[in-house]
Amino acid sequence: AAYDTDKKACDSLKDNAKDVCVAEAKAKRTRVDENAEAAYKNTPKAREHAIHEIAEANYKVAKERCDDKNGNDKDVCVKEAKSAQVADRAAGAPPRSTP
């Protein structure tokens, strides 16, 4: 339900701003779902899976934000997003705040 509300809030946006908004809504849903499942299963494998999925969701949001950039700035942005994904996995994928 929260995802649907968050996604509807994106309807008034256009172009990449809308894409970023939808990616953030999906990432928020992924964080909630994966953390809940990991807590329910309470196994190292479930926690590892949650970390991986959350890091991937955060990466998709960061990469989507890079679409507003061009040339070298975009290349650097994508590399930084990938680097953050690797760091999230290593650190246990803490939730990212959105600026």
Side-chain angles (χ1 to χ4, degrees):
Y3 168 72
D4 291 334
T5 302
D6 291 344
K7 194 169 178 233
K8 279 188 182 199
C10 301
D11 287 345
S12 64
L13 302 173
K14 293 183 181 196
D15 302 322
N16 196 51
K18 183 174 184 172
D19 295 342
V20 170
C21 183
V22 170
E24 287 173 343
K26 288 179 180 179
K28 183 177 175 183
R29 179 180 63 180
T30 297
R31 283 191 289 275
V32 170
D33 290 350
E34 293 298 330
N35 283 326
E37 186 173 341
Y40 174 74
K41 290 183 177 178
N42 197 25
T43 65
K45 184 175 182 176
R47 286 188 292 277
E48 182 180 334
H49 178 75
I51 289 167
H52 176 270
E53 293 300 316
I54 291 168
E56 184 68 23
N58 290 339
Y59 170 69
K60 287 178 181 178
V61 171
K63 192 173 164 199
E64 196 62 54
R65 286 192 176 127
C66 296
D67 283 350
D68 282 333
K69 301 179 186 226
N70 295 313
N72 189 54
D73 287 343
K74 184 173 182 174
D75 294 341
V76 170
C77 183
V78 170
K79 286 180 183 178
E80 287 174 350
K82 188 66 174 171
S83 193
Q85 179 189 30
V86 171
D88 279 353
R89 285 183 182 174
R96 291 206 174 275
S97 60
T98 53

